[in-house]
Amino acid sequence: MRKQGQIVVKRAIDRNYESVRSLLTRAEFVANRVHCRTDLISRCADGLVGYFSKRCFSGGRESSGAMGDRAREDYLSNFEAVARGLDRKTGVRDRRRQFSTTSSSASSTSDSSTNVKGRALSEQFSKTLVDDIYRGSFRNQTGVSLKYMMDFGDHPKDQQLLFSAQFLHKELPIRLAHRVAELENLPFGLSTKQQVLAVRDWYVESFEEIREMKEINSMEREKSFTELLSSVMRRHNDVVPMIASGVLELKNELAEQNKKGAIDLNRIAHLPEIHQFLDGFYMSRIGIRMLIGQHVALHEPAKKDYVGLICTKTRVLDVVKDAIDDARALCARQYGDAPEVEIFGDENLTFAYVPGHIHHVVFELVKNSLRAVADRYKDSDVPAPAIRVVLAEGSEDVCIKISDEGGGIPRSGLKNIWTYLYSTADSPLKDMEFSDAGAGSAPVVLAGYGYGLPLSRLYCRYFGGDLQILSMDGYGTDAYVHLNRLGTGSEPLP
């Protein structure tokens, strides 16, 4: 199965790598359920991979029709029937294999990582729960658009809140199951790291709590469900630094093995498989928190021009000014002073968007520019030049341009800026201690993690925008933030 899966990935990588990787991960998730090598199990596993291979090569069209759904369900049913038969005939129920915690590449690149045994899901949670999770990981996620959220939440009534809760009650377990499946099958032994296991357990616990919630058919149950969602949000507050710490630990281990000659770090430079996983994982996290936050916010006292988290008349200038003030205050604490920031463009520009997303992106970009300028001119008699922010409205996008004269980035280094854990600042992760305590066990500040730019780009892309960086080495850097003002694009679900 692994060999066939590798062939599929190799052939399809230029077409749609993200889809292939996600689907094959889920195929392996099911195929590794039973610790028994039989022809029947092999045929079922090959059938799953064959189905997903066909789906990948056809651009996912098989998943859209009834025939595709039936094929998938047939393979699942056959697989489970074989597993149940083996349980009865050979008594292998107690010998069910733990879900795979490393990819096949881990054994060839990181012996010490693969020798570390993680906590298997079957040891932590009940068989029924684990079976529900892997079934959920095969179901299709449902994306929503900014416009849909805004139209649906406008003047919310009990019936709308009830419908929203029913949608989340069905959708969130599917999204959580997808993430658990990925966390169980990460390469280079990342799935065995303490921090990753803790995050996996948070996702499983949230899945279980939502799944155990009875059908939401009354406002009383809707209220209880909303309270549950708030607790889920709090539990997942520390996901970003926890995963970052696990990845940093893996990176340090691989660097040590490279020094000893155990692996060739150049062959796995920047860990592309890890970064592809992180892009999908964090994009999913943005989506989950947006859906939950929007539903919870609809229960709060109404604010003028707001529909939940969405401001229908977001005044870009005000959000940008707040982000600039926060970034300059941070710079002043570190350097004793902060360069000036000048704003140009349409001061009355408004559109429907989530102000928190704009603030996150602009704060990160201005913070980087302030630091670059402050470092370059800290020992200079020449006054530090101001950072320039330009606001513009196009037919499709609202654009924010941030320009600095901080010296720029060498052309060879531009490819690194989107790499997770690439940062020129000291990382706070090495000095942090983690536990399984959940929310509150780690700080949420991202300075020095190397996550600022990659996450900012995901926030832009979540509603159909983008983030681009252009740099002139020896002079400065320009960042272009594109925010989709139409709001019709659906979530880019991993």
Side-chain angles (χ1 to χ4, degrees), residues 361-413:
V361 174
V362 174
F363 170 80
E364 178 62 33
L365 295 173
V366 172
K367 174 176 70 70
N368 288 349
S369 292
L370 288 169
R371 182 170 178 267
V373 172
D375 282 341
R376 191 182 190 195
Y377 289 89
K378 63 182 177 182
D379 298 323
S380 175
D381 295 332
V382 179
I387 293 162
R388 297 174 298 281
V389 177
V390 181
L391 313 178
E393 181 179 19
S395 59
E396 297 180 357
D397 296 339
V398 167
C399 299
I400 304 172
K401 176 185 175 183
I402 300 170
S403 302
D404 67 61
E405 297 178 34
I409 305 168
R411 188 160 54 91
S412 61

Side-chain angles (χ1 to χ4, degrees), residues 165-464:
Q166 290 169 345
F167 169 75
L168 294 180
H169 187 242
K170 177 182 178 181
E171 177 67 15
L172 289 178
I174 295 175
R175 297 197 183 193
L176 293 170
H178 279 237
R179 303 290 72 79
V180 173
E182 282 197 323
L183 289 168
E184 281 290 288
N185 290 277
L186 299 179
F188 306 113
L190 181 58
S191 293
T192 65
K193 301 303 177 189
Q194 173 191 353
Q195 302 89 335
V196 176
L197 290 170
V199 171
R200 181 206 67 183
D201 291 351
W202 294 346
Y203 274 76
V204 174
E205 289 166 11
S206 298
F207 175 94
E208 182 178 25
E209 290 177 356
I210 295 174
R211 186 204 61 166
E212 289 182 347
M213 191 80 183
K214 294 182 179 180
E215 181 182 358
I216 304 171
N217 52 18
S218 68
M219 289 308 298
E220 183 178 356
R221 288 187 179 176
E222 191 277 335
K223 182 180 178 181
S224 299
F225 182 68
T226 301
E227 293 173 353
L228 172 61
L229 293 182
S230 296
S231 70
V232 168
M233 284 271 284
R234 291 191 296 271
R235 174 184 295 133
H236 291 235
N237 278 344
D238 295 341
V239 164
V240 172
M242 287 288 276
I243 292 291
S245 178
V247 174
L248 180 61
E249 182 179 323
L250 172 64
K251 191 174 181 180
N252 292 338
E253 286 181 2
L254 293 177
E256 285 297 320
Q257 293 179 47
N258 181 59
K259 291 179 182 178
K260 298 176 182 178
I263 60 171
D264 182 4
L265 200 56
N266 292 326
R267 295 180 60 190
I268 55 174
H270 306 305
L271 306 178
E273 297 95 336
I274 298 295
H275 297 300
Q276 286 151 1
F277 153 72
L278 290 174
D279 269 342
F281 183 83
Y282 288 133
M283 180 66 82
S284 173
R285 182 175 187 270
I286 292 172
I288 290 173
R289 294 184 77 82
M290 182 66 202
L291 292 179
I292 294 177
Q294 179 71 2
H295 180 80
V296 172
L298 290 176
H299 291 74
E300 298 173 354
K303 293 192 296 184
K304 183 181 179 181
D305 298 329
Y306 269 83
V307 178
L309 299 177
I310 304 166
C311 180
T312 58
K313 297 180 180 179
T314 302
R315 193 162 184 263
V316 180
L317 178 65
D318 292 341
V319 181
V320 168
K321 280 185 174 179
D322 287 342
I324 290 172
D325 290 343
D326 291 343
R328 293 190 75 235
L330 182 65
C331 181
R333 285 200 299 271
Q334 183 171 351
Y335 292 91
D337 195 8
E340 294 295 326
V341 180
E342 300 174 349
I343 304 177
F344 304 91
D346 187 358
E347 296 184 354
N348 298 315
L349 172 57
T350 62
F351 76 124
Y353 211 76
V354 183
H357 288 193
I358 301 176
H359 184 283
H360 179 104
V361 174
V362 174
F363 170 80
E364 178 62 33
L365 295 173
V366 172
K367 174 176 70 70
N368 288 349
S369 292
L370 288 169
R371 182 170 178 267
V373 172
D375 282 341
R376 191 182 190 195
Y377 289 89
K378 63 182 177 182
D379 298 323
S380 175
D381 295 332
V382 179
I387 293 162
R388 297 174 298 281
V389 177
V390 181
L391 313 178
E393 181 179 19
S395 59
E396 297 180 357
D397 296 339
V398 167
C399 299
I400 304 172
K401 176 185 175 183
I402 300 170
S403 302
D404 67 61
E405 297 178 34
I409 305 168
R411 188 160 54 91
S412 61
L414 279 174
K415 62 183 179 181
N416 295 327
I417 65 175
W418 305 114
T419 301
Y420 290 94
L421 291 179
Y422 171 79
S423 176
T424 55
D426 292 334
S427 174
L429 293 170
K430 61 180 180 294
D431 300 322
M432 290 162 52
E433 294 183 359
F434 294 92
S435 67
D436 295 348
S441 63
V444 296
V445 179
L446 297 182
Y449 286 14
Y451 275 43
L453 284 178
L455 279 181
S456 294
R457 184 167 65 172
L458 293 181
Y459 272 104
C460 293
R461 290 180 171 178
Y462 179 68
F463 284 124

